[in-house]
Amino acid sequence: MRIEVLIAGRGGQGILLLGHILGRAVAKYTNLYILGSEIYAAETRGGDSRVDLVIADREEEADFIKVMGADIAIVMHQLQLDAYSHLIKDGAVVFLDRSNVTSVPQRKWRVFLEPYTDIAEREFGTPRVANMVALGHLVRQTSLVPPEGVEEVIRETVPKDWVDVNIRAFRYFLSR
Amino acid sequence: MRIEVLIAGRGGQGILLLGHILGRAVAKYTNLYILGSEIYAAETRGGDSRVDLVIADREEEADFIKVMGADIAIVMHQLQLDAYSHLIKDGAVVFLDRSNVTSVPQRKWRVFLEPYTDIAEREFGTPRVANMVALGHLVRQTSLVPPEGVEEVIRETVPKDWVDVNIRAFRYFLSR
Amino acid sequence: MAVAHPLDRYLRTDRLPTMWCPGCGLGILLGCILRALDRRIREGSLRRENVGFAGGIGCSARMTLYPYFDSAHVIHGRAIPFALGVKIVKPEMKMIVVGGDGDIAAIGGNHILHAIRRNADLVVIMANNMIYGMTGGQQAPTTPRGLYTTTTPYGNPEREINIVKLAAALGANYVARGSVTHTPLLEQMIYKALGKRGLAFVEVLSTCPELFGRHIGFRSPVDLYSELRKRVVVKTRPSVEESDYSWERGFVIGEFVDRDEPGFIEVLQEYTSRARGGAG
Amino acid sequence: MAVAHPLDRYLRTDRLPTMWCPGCGLGILLGCILRALDRRIREGSLRRENVGFAGGIGCSARMTLYPYFDSAHVIHGRAIPFALGVKIVKPEMKMIVVGGDGDIAAIGGNHILHAIRRNADLVVIMANNMIYGMTGGQQAPTTPRGLYTTTTPYGNPEREINIVKLAAALGANYVARGSVTHTPLLEQMIYKALGKRGLAFVEVLSTCPELFGRHIGFRSPVDLYSELRKRVVVKTRPSVEESDYSWERGFVIGEFVDRDEPGFIEVLQEYTSRARGGAG
Amino acid sequence: MRVDYVTGNTAIALGSIAAGLRFYAGYPITPTSDIFEFLARELPKRGGYVVQFEDEIASINAAIGASWACAKSMTATSGPGFSLMVEALSLAVITETPVVVVYVMRTGPSTGVPTRSGQYDVLQATYGFHGGLVVPVLAPATPQEAFDLTVRAFNVSEKLRTPVVLLSDATIAHTYGRVVVREPGEVEVVERAKPSVPPEKYRPYDPGEGLVPPMACFGEGYNVLVESLTHDERGYYAPRSDVQRRLMWRLYRKIVESAPELFDYGAAYLDGCDVALVSYGSTSLSTLVAAKILRSEGYRACSIRLRTLFPVYEEGIRRLLNGVGKVFVVENNVGLYYRELRGVLRGSEVVSVPIIDLDLPQPREVVEVVKQWL
Amino acid sequence: MRVDYVTGNTAIALGSIAAGLRFYAGYPITPTSDIFEFLARELPKRGGYVVQFEDEIASINAAIGASWACAKSMTATSGPGFSLMVEALSLAVITETPVVVVYVMRTGPSTGVPTRSGQYDVLQATYGFHGGLVVPVLAPATPQEAFDLTVRAFNVSEKLRTPVVLLSDATIAHTYGRVVVREPGEVEVVERAKPSVPPEKYRPYDPGEGLVPPMACFGEGYNVLVESLTHDERGYYAPRSDVQRRLMWRLYRKIVESAPELFDYGAAYLDGCDVALVSYGSTSLSTLVAAKILRSEGYRACSIRLRTLFPVYEEGIRRLLNGVGKVFVVENNVGLYYRELRGVLRGSEVVSVPIIDLDLPQPREVVEVVKQWL
Amino acid sequence: MGSATAVLRVPTGKYFINVVKERCKECGLCVFVCPTKVLDKGSERNSRGYRFAVPVRPEKCIGCRMCEYSCPDFAIFIEVGGG
Amino acid sequence: MGSATAVLRVPTGKYFINVVKERCKECGLCVFVCPTKVLDKGSERNSRGYRFAVPVRPEKCIGCRMCEYSCPDFAIFIEVGGG
Ligand SMILES: Cc1ncc(C[n+]2csc(CCOP(=O)(O)OP(=O)(O)O)c2C)c(N)n1
Ligand SMILES: Cc1ncc(C[n+]2csc(CCOP(=O)(O)OP(=O)(O)O)c2C)c(N)n1
Ligand code: SF4
Ligand code: SF4
Ligand code: SF4
Ligand code: SF4
Ligand code: SF4
Ligand code: SF4
Ligand SMILES: [Mg+2]
Ligand SMILES: [Mg+2]
């Protein structure tokens, strides 16, 4: 088993945190091997943010740090969807933030299109947890990692004051 | 043609100067190739002084900087004679300072045994030109270099005040 | 390149905006340098083609990327010997060395020490933002004791350097400390430095809102800038003893030393000419 | 090894005679260091196994070859960081750095600068013979301007360093200049230095008859020694401003600075202990 | 033992702690500063010291000094800083000082692209210092290897009394991975041999029967001599050819004869391999994928990841690649370690595949280049 | 033109004057100081400058600076000092700065035996700096070669805009020899290409049709950019893989493609040679005699003295040694350049003959070792 | 969003206040240093997303150039004339 | 020429002046610094060829130890006692 996960969006959307939490949860709460890498533009606002994860059950299959054909993807913005859709392979499970995505390419993906940002703003009062809403969605649909593991990781990773709202956002899709 | 010359004595006997003047004269006033090296002990007094010259008419024959079997040698002291006679080959022309050499090994050398130091003291008032007396002797007996060349070199090499006495000492054997 | 700003004629405008973070004091300093140069060039006391920049590595040293002059962006800490090499063989050059507190006072310490000792004819401008900016906020020799940096997470245990005292003790012809919070004065110091023979040293207090500001709790450019301005004490002709460099007591700015001993280059030329005179 | 001389117990006598030229001042200095240590060891203020030497490269640094203590003869200019490495992890050590003017003030300049700035707990003894001895008589940063050296055959064009001023400006706890021509005073200075926390710096005027003496026309050890003695001006508690270092005006010796600020090691330990306290 | 998800740099810091690091001397440089910063937070909690020095020269010399005071020491740097350290590394070689230097390669020459990757410095890591003696160079490719090889670097360093270079790069530095982190008690930790004779009898460079002398430290009453000059067993300067020969060959042998023990590599798709892609460090991730692609396209390709670059275990490498038709050396530089390997594998066809890229070479590009030769 | 009798060191100083040296930046170190001292006396008479800096780091950086002010520049050092210079040499590589570094090897590692000889640093001379690009390394064996190769070093340096290392050693340094000294007008002297475009159009790293960009200097109104970062043709920082590739391969090619032109060697007893003793620098004097002895003992031995060590002209070396049964690489070190040659001469049997000696290896010893393999 | 040197040029009476929109990084220093509070962050963004400074009370400008001297990005300058 | 630590031991009355012959390098400093001119270069040479210092007027010795302190070679030292 070998899975590539791509997480992409604009700077400020919490992409790196999302990727880090997911990666960490896989590392700590599954028996899978994982390598992950981050890309972020130097610009303060709006540059690309991207996390690539390569997950495998045999160590030698966790063999590269860049996604070459993602099996699972979260894309939080149209710009990155345009830029990276060629990295997402046919048959992939793709989570798109409808709040920021306007047109979805015609590809053989299993697409989940939900307004993560709007949900975050509406339900939790801040767009900053849109990333956790999306993550919950992914965890629910793919069962790549146990949700409790993710929550553990959120607790160790996120600043104290933010843990609660992040966990609640994460549970949004899981609890429905 | 390839000739090795060994010049040896104790520190303070002007060995390096002797070797330098001879080497320089060969380089500048013959068409021969030459390489030369010096050894001197760090101690102020009494350590080994030694100059090795390798002289040849073809550049590739001037091939080493250490004497392996000297064709010509000047040895100014018994200690160095004992130490280096194995480096002087049979048939060599050997100049020994009788003032400091007490026993000459039984070898197939053509030996010139003269009291260079005594001559220098007696004729020129200082033992410091014993080296030039010996050099003159060598030049006379071997015609390795033209004497005028050596004198030229003495003029460029020796401090002004000393040129005259050095040249006179050098001429001692040449003029007889 | 269309010229807009009055300093554009001295700038590689195709490289703007600069790589510096918003509100970084280094751009303010660059403006002061260029205005001081402009005055000198206009008044005829410097020729444009005889002005050269050299900087090591760091946010501050990247200042060399923008001026439209001969300019060298070399290696960390070594701009001074580079510049001195230029100066010795082309004495008509006015070499301006720009660098950070790390570049000049940490890794480059030996070169500034000996350049000053020699009274080498260079203008050295040290941008002191009290931190390593380029590498992400580590301790600098100028970081006030006790403050947090990423390499001193329990507070900086080291005593900070008062480089004005060093420069004065070693005998620079001109030693001043300015601040980006006091631009007309800073411009005037640099203008003056550009006119000196021997070594002219200007330490410039600068703001790094991105890292230093964040470390000490002044995140916005304006917050840090105003905080620094509060701590700056302007003095007229202060003595070297008055050159306080202290987070608590404040940072005294002003001209500490202004003398006119012969510079290294002219002495070197005098001695070298003895050789040509046949002496030696 | 049979003990003859009273200092033999502190010497690797099997390495004697030293490699130094006859009449070289460095041996005199070594004697003063060992006598000062002897006093400290006898009075119980230092334990012998806690004394370590470190030197770079040079005739002066070779001083590390002879004392019968832990001793490091490392690379040119780097004895200070070596010693500081030892000191940080074994604070009970009393590390004595010995080196020449080239070793410490030229190539090692950056380390002495920062060691003093940090007030690092080291005893640094710089043997100043005004020349590069080991390499054959080249200019040193301490060579008085105008004098002949083999690399300045038309006279030294550089201004010499007054390292006492440097050490004082950077805030050493103890700064003294002694001379091998004044041995009881020198021994006392070193004795005192050994008792200080923070950085104790002793510059020692020394004689290099073989090269410096020859360059300036004082070929015999006694000639150079007596020439130096003439030019030494002893002052009691002189100020830093009085610390003349000049061939013409003379070389002022004495204790210029004696203060007692906390040393780097204790501050480092205090800050480090915050980590253990769980803070940060 | 715990599982963590950390970058290569953090893994190195964690590995150094596990191995018993007590002194980190550093000067900040991209892309190593987070090793420094991690240790600055963590090491003091464990009684160690982390100090920022005025430059890399001071850092490495302080690390050497601390090692002589019996503290396991480390510094980390990249190209410009390593270049400044080589003089002292030569000192560490001749004085036989255990010290670990983490060399995180970035894009060069000179300042280059400080944040990005490359493998340009692989030969400098061992040929970079004067004296011409080899030091062990270990090269991780993943965070887990970074952790494991850091522990190993310390152990080798202590055992052989030698500086060891841990050669990483900017890609590994910032790659996250699952890392099994062992705590100080949980890994095998080697400590330097201490003298068994009383101080009066101790000769600091006397290896006895073996090749590595026991090491006393400052402050133990042994009157240790640290000597950068050519020295005899006592540590006394001895400018003689026989002493020089004895010393040089011992220093050489103690490293080179450890080659079999130090040899370490990872191999994939080995059976029936006829096309070997040899690589090291981050680039071996590209190579691993490239080999898989080649296999999928019908080539009998395998991938070899060398984890020990120096000393070169020539026998071992030859045995490993015995019978392989073509050996491709894939590197993110102009083709440097290739020069070593083609000298070792004189029987095989050895081809250099130099791919310069600020990131990992694309596996596809590796495949394309390799296929040109097949 | 005149004939002189001088040491290798003096020959280098004379050669540098002949080649147009205008700036010598130095820090004293055995066994190079007499180059410095000679130039300190002579260069000022000819309008040049000789300055002693605070250390080798300052020296090389000042030399680089002076070169950017259009003065031919040089420095001389030995192992410890060269080690301190390597960071700046990497700068000189990426900024394409002509500068000559005289590297007089002495016995190492570290301080070793400062007055005595060895060839331990032959790999450091070109692999010693980060960035992994080759710089030309020329190796004289006699004072005459020291003179000639110094002139050549400057010419190569100017022509290719590169640092060049002149690799000598303590033996050559103090060996006297007959030297034909040519004065500045009497040797071919290459000057760097100057821009032919007006300042506004000048791009400091644009090689045009060739591989080497014309070079404008400080003070000429060209607004030159000296840039240690990866840069495009304008000298602007460009952290992109394509720019890095273009730059690296151009810098690599300009040196490596000059290998045929740079190749230089001396050979003796070549005809019918079946046993080649390959050597360089002072050791090749031992080798020359050893070959003669072997010939006299009936072996078909020859001696090859390489004068250009890097870039390695692989074709040329193979052609030269084509058909030779056994190749012995004789070196006064643990066997370093051998590693290069066995990679180049993969068809021949190549044997390392490492002879560590503070002086020249004795020809007899060379002969004995070689004979063990015959 | 206009060329790299597109300038917002506002007459004050005795001066022109010029803002080079694309250079501004919204640091606010000019706003802070202006003694008469002439300037403020604008609402328009440049192509890098920064809301460049704008003269909101141009008539109060006294031409002291503190804004020009304190701008780290050569993004604001004063010309005499106009009005 | 005696062992490496062979000492010439001369009583002065209140002191012993000791010269470690093999260590002396004939530099003359002790001779020079002695306030009462007790010492002089000797005529005997040690194995390195140096004419080591000797007390020529031992009775004048005041035990000030300037010779001991100024000797760079640990070749001369004063002991109290004797006479
Ligand atoms: C030899 C070397 N060591 C370290 C670095 C990494 N480095 C780059 S800039 C810098 C220091 C930056 O601080 P400073 O000089 O104060 O400049 P700032 O960025 O604060 O303006 C360092 C350590 C380097 N480039 N070269
Ligand atoms: C890196 C390096 N550069 C140069 C040298 C050569 N060197 C040895 S000692 C020395 C200077 C000696 O002068 P100083 O430190 O004053 O000591 P002294 O011999 O005068 O006591 C130099 C330049 C060296 N060993 N290492
Ligand atoms: S990091 Fe600091 S110094 Fe560097 S550009 Fe940003 S604000 Fe300026
Ligand atoms: S050269 Fe000078 S400093 Fe060195 S030992 Fe001789 S006299 Fe002393
Ligand atoms: S010139 Fe002065 S008053 Fe006018 S806007 Fe600028 S800072 Fe304000
Ligand atoms: S100071 Fe300059 S960059 Fe900052 S807001 Fe004002 S105009 Fe914009
Ligand atoms: S102790 Fe004093 S008086 Fe006696 S010999 Fe020595 S110097 Fe002279
Ligand atoms: S001072 Fe010492 S070495 Fe010099 S002459 Fe006197 S006893 Fe001998
Ligand atoms: Mg800074
Ligand atoms: Mg000295």
Side-chain angles (χ1 to χ4, degrees), chain E residues 6-80:
Chain E
V6 294
T7 62
N9 270 354
T10 306
I12 288 171
L14 290 166
S16 68
I17 290 172
L21 179 69
R22 279 202 42 229
F23 180 63
Y24 181 91
Y27 189 76
I29 192 165
T30 307
T32 69
S33 304
D34 41 355
I35 299 175
F36 190 170
E37 292 163 3
F38 185 95
L39 289 170
R41 289 190 305 274
E42 295 303 321
L43 202 58
K45 294 184 191 161
R46 294 166 161 83
Y49 296 93
V50 175
V51 176
Q52 182 170 328
F53 283 83
E54 55 272 21
D55 59 18
E56 287 88 350
I57 299 177
S59 303
I60 181 67
N61 282 286
I64 291 170
S67 182
W68 276 98
C70 269
K72 290 190 186 179
S73 306
M74 180 170 96
T75 185
T77 190
S78 65

Side-chain angles (χ1 to χ4, degrees), chain C residues 20-21 24 26 59 129 133-134 207-211:
Chain C
W20 293 313
C21 307
C24 173
L26 294 169
C59 296
N129 53 14
M134 179 64 92
T207 50
C208 169
E210 184 69 18
L211 297 162

Side-chain angles (χ1 to χ4, degrees), chain G residues 17 33-36 38-39 60-67 78:
Chain G
I17 301 173
V33 297
C34 174
T36 54
V38 172
L39 305 161
K60 298 216 163 176
C61 175
I62 56 170
C64 69
R65 284 203 155 94
M66 284 313 294
C67 53
I78 305 301

Side-chain angles (χ1 to χ4, degrees), chain E residues 22-205:
Chain E
R22 279 202 42 229
F23 180 63
Y24 181 91
Y27 189 76
I29 192 165
T30 307
T32 69
S33 304
D34 41 355
I35 299 175
F36 190 170
E37 292 163 3
F38 185 95
L39 289 170
R41 289 190 305 274
E42 295 303 321
L43 202 58
K45 294 184 191 161
R46 294 166 161 83
Y49 296 93
V50 175
V51 176
Q52 182 170 328
F53 283 83
E54 55 272 21
D55 59 18
E56 287 88 350
I57 299 177
S59 303
I60 181 67
N61 282 286
I64 291 170
S67 182
W68 276 98
C70 269
K72 290 190 186 179
S73 306
M74 180 170 96
T75 185
T77 190
S78 65
F82 190 84
S83 292
L84 289 170
M85 291 183 180
V86 295
E87 191 206 1
L89 285 173
S90 194
L91 171 70
V93 166
I94 203 170
T95 55
E96 304 183 64
T97 310
V99 64
V100 172
V101 180
V102 178
Y103 191 156
V104 186
M105 292 182 284
R106 62 189 215 186
T107 308
S110 200
T111 316
V113 186
T115 52
R116 307 295 282 281
S117 203
Q119 301 184 304
Y120 309 152
D121 309 318
V122 57
L123 294 185
Q124 191 201 29
T126 203
Y127 295 134
F129 25 93
H130 65 283
L133 288 168
V134 186
V135 303
V137 178
L138 312 181
T142 64
Q144 183 69 60
E145 289 185 1
F147 181 90
D148 296 342
L149 292 184
T150 301
V151 175
R152 185 150 218 243
F154 276 92
N155 286 348
V156 170
S157 161
E158 293 286 321
K159 180 162 178 211
L160 299 180
R161 277 189 68 177
T162 179
V164 173
V165 175
L166 184 80
L167 192 69
S168 179
D169 65 42
T171 298
I172 305 161
H174 298 129
T175 292
Y176 278 91
R178 177 184 200 271
V179 176
V180 179
V181 177
R182 283 162 223 277
E183 296 297 318
E186 301 169 344
V187 283
E188 195 215 340
V189 167
V190 178
E191 306 291 345
R192 63 191 73 169
K194 306 288 296 178
S196 52
V197 295
E200 321 79 69
K201 297 225 168 123
Y202 177 61
R203 308 198 317 159
Y205 301 95

Side-chain angles (χ1 to χ4, degrees), chain E residues 157-269:
Chain E
S157 161
E158 293 286 321
K159 180 162 178 211
L160 299 180
R161 277 189 68 177
T162 179
V164 173
V165 175
L166 184 80
L167 192 69
S168 179
D169 65 42
T171 298
I172 305 161
H174 298 129
T175 292
Y176 278 91
R178 177 184 200 271
V179 176
V180 179
V181 177
R182 283 162 223 277
E183 296 297 318
E186 301 169 344
V187 283
E188 195 215 340
V189 167
V190 178
E191 306 291 345
R192 63 191 73 169
K194 306 288 296 178
S196 52
V197 295
E200 321 79 69
K201 297 225 168 123
Y202 177 61
R203 308 198 317 159
Y205 301 95
D206 185 346
E209 305 293 277
L211 289 167
V212 184
M215 184 170 176
C217 302
F218 270 52
E220 300 183 331
Y222 278 81
N223 298 313
V224 165
L225 277 181
V226 181
E227 181 53 88
S228 71
L229 292 161
T230 291
H231 47 260
D232 62 19
E233 284 68 15
R234 294 170 300 176
Y236 285 14
Y237 182 38
R240 301 200 321 259
S241 284
D242 61 330
V243 176
Q244 177 69 14
R245 280 188 187 194
R246 198 162 71 231
L247 181 60
M248 282 295 277
W249 288 115
R250 179 170 67 73
L251 295 177
Y252 177 78
R253 285 179 52 208
K254 76 173 182 181
I255 306 298
V256 170
E257 292 181 7
S258 302
E261 198 188 320
L262 290 178
F263 191 45
D264 188 11
Y265 67 93
Y269 318 115

